[in-house]
Amino acid sequence: MNSKMTDRIATGVFGLCAAIIAAILVGLFSYILINGVSQLSFDFISTKSSAIAAGGGIRDQLFNSFYILFITMLITIPLGVGGGVYMAEYAPQNKLTDFIRTCIEVLSSLPSIVIGMFGLLMFVNLTGWGYTIIGGALALTVFNLPVMVRVTEDAVRSVPKDLKEASLALGVSRWHTVKTILLPSAIPSIITGAILASGRVFGEAAALLFTAGLTTPRLNFTEWNPFSETSPFNIFRPAETLAVHIWNVNTQGIIPDAEAIANGGSAVLVISVLFFNLAARWLGSFIYKKLTAN
């Protein structure tokens, strides 16, 4: 078999793999959107859910999903970026740092149900908070922190060494080099890691079952006091996210239109993730241009 034939076979195999992956994604999204878009309406998105009457909306669950995402990323991104920069630029190359990297890889592969049980013990029982938004956010931080650390470390290491060495040769301090040279150049990869982590937050259910709970108190969106029991911004209240709600309505068996609510909620979840990813990439591109003057 000559090299041209081998090249054609390899090209065909890779093309077939790409086509299969694309077909699976198109089929999955088509099924979700075709079954779910027909259930969408303004009332479905803007009204609260009800476990008694049919036609409950997903307003509170959708808000909870974005709010927990915001709190989680507010904790995860600074810690993850800081840890990644330290591992890439400041940590010595020895057996201890190799062991830390191994622990990070093991932590990133833990099942979400295990993270949920850990969150139940640490952020629900040990702290005495009960089911809360902050407990769920901290559990998801444990879940996503290894991803951010490894992505940031790889992004910083991938910056051409010439840029770093030129900066240090001019007498610039290491921290100023990291702040003005390495991080701006690594922003696109860091943004990609943040998007991957946020996508896991949107779709996560198992960890939040044990930390944020299955219920949402009656929310008053005119109450801006974050310490009020009815305030949507109270981080010490239970919060059922959209992913948990989809699971919940399908297992309770007491809601007449559970299938319609699940289909509509799934469509909203997919569309929300899509728009969030597009917005995050646009923001990352904007920040990169501002920091690098490109």
Side-chain angles (χ1 to χ4, degrees), residues 34-65:
I34 289 173
N35 288 277
V37 171
S38 60
Q39 309 296 331
L40 300 184
S41 65
F42 180 77
D43 291 336
F44 180 73
I45 298 175
S46 62
T47 58
K48 69 183 293 291
S49 63
S50 173
I52 300 175
I58 58 170
R59 180 197 64 184
D60 294 351
Q61 286 76 18
L62 185 60
F63 174 82
N64 291 337
S65 296

Side-chain angles (χ1 to χ4, degrees), residues 4-21:
K4 290 185 177 180
M5 181 63 67
T6 303
D7 181 69
R8 290 177 181 176
I9 293 175
T11 303
V13 170
F14 293 142
L16 179 61
C17 293
I20 292 174
I21 294 173

Side-chain angles (χ1 to χ4, degrees), residues 50 53-56 249 254-262:
S50 173
V249 297
I254 60 176
I255 301 178
D257 55 349
E259 183 177 357
I261 293 177

Side-chain angles (χ1 to χ4, degrees), residues 80-104:
V81 172
V85 169
Y86 175 79
M87 295 298 292
E89 290 296 317
Y90 294 94
Q93 300 298 320
N94 52 34
K95 292 183 178 180
L96 178 59
T97 54
D98 292 339
F99 176 73
I100 293 174
R101 288 189 181 92
T102 301
C103 292
I104 291 173

Side-chain angles (χ1 to χ4, degrees), residues 207-219:
L208 294 175
L209 286 173
F210 296 99
T211 52
L214 287 169
T215 60
T216 298
R218 185 181 297 275
L219 300 181

Side-chain angles (χ1 to χ4, degrees), residues 23-252:
I24 293 174
L25 291 176
V26 170
L28 177 62
F29 289 140
S30 298
Y31 177 82
I32 294 174
L33 294 177
I34 289 173
N35 288 277
V37 171
S38 60
Q39 309 296 331
L40 300 184
S41 65
F42 180 77
D43 291 336
F44 180 73
I45 298 175
S46 62
T47 58
K48 69 183 293 291
S49 63
S50 173
I52 300 175
I58 58 170
R59 180 197 64 184
D60 294 351
Q61 286 76 18
L62 185 60
F63 174 82
N64 291 337
S65 296
F66 278 100
Y67 193 40
I68 288 181
L69 171 67
F70 173 75
I71 299 297
T72 301
M73 301 313 293
L74 193 64
I75 303 172
T76 301
I77 291 178
L79 291 178
V81 172
V85 169
Y86 175 79
M87 295 298 292
E89 290 296 317
Y90 294 94
Q93 300 298 320
N94 52 34
K95 292 183 178 180
L96 178 59
T97 54
D98 292 339
F99 176 73
I100 293 174
R101 288 189 181 92
T102 301
C103 292
I104 291 173
E105 292 175 358
V106 171
L107 186 60
S108 64
S109 62
L110 284 178
S112 58
I113 192 71
V114 175
I115 301 296
M117 294 300 296
F118 172 79
L120 177 66
L121 293 174
M122 291 294 297
F123 309 128
V124 176
N125 295 334
L126 187 62
T127 61
W129 292 339
Y131 295 118
T132 58
I133 288 177
I134 186 63
L138 290 173
L140 292 177
T141 297
V142 174
F143 192 57
N144 286 321
L145 197 56
V147 176
M148 283 301 305
V149 171
R150 290 309 304 269
V151 167
T152 302
E153 182 181 0
D154 292 341
V156 172
R157 289 184 181 275
S158 66
V159 177
K161 291 184 179 180
D162 293 345
L163 295 177
K164 174 184 173 182
E165 292 172 355
S167 177
L168 295 176
L170 293 173
V172 180
S173 65
R174 175 177 288 187
W175 161 240
H176 199 70
T177 299
V178 169
K179 183 178 68 173
T180 59
I181 303 296
L182 298 183
L183 282 180
S185 300
I187 279 292
S189 297
I190 294 175
I191 292 295
T192 300
I195 291 173
L196 292 175
S198 63
R200 300 174 77 185
V201 173
F202 260 116
E204 183 54 44
L208 294 175
L209 286 173
F210 296 99
T211 52
L214 287 169
T215 60
T216 298
R218 185 181 297 275
L219 300 181
N220 179 10
F221 282 86
T222 62
E223 177 60 74
W224 290 83
N225 181 8
F227 301 102
S228 172
E229 294 182 359
T230 60
S231 173
F233 302 102
N234 185 356
I235 61 174
F236 291 100
R237 65 171 177 86
E240 181 188 44
T241 62
L242 189 54
V244 174
H245 184 62
I246 294 171
W247 175 85
N248 197 16
V249 297
N250 279 286
T251 56
Q252 282 185 342

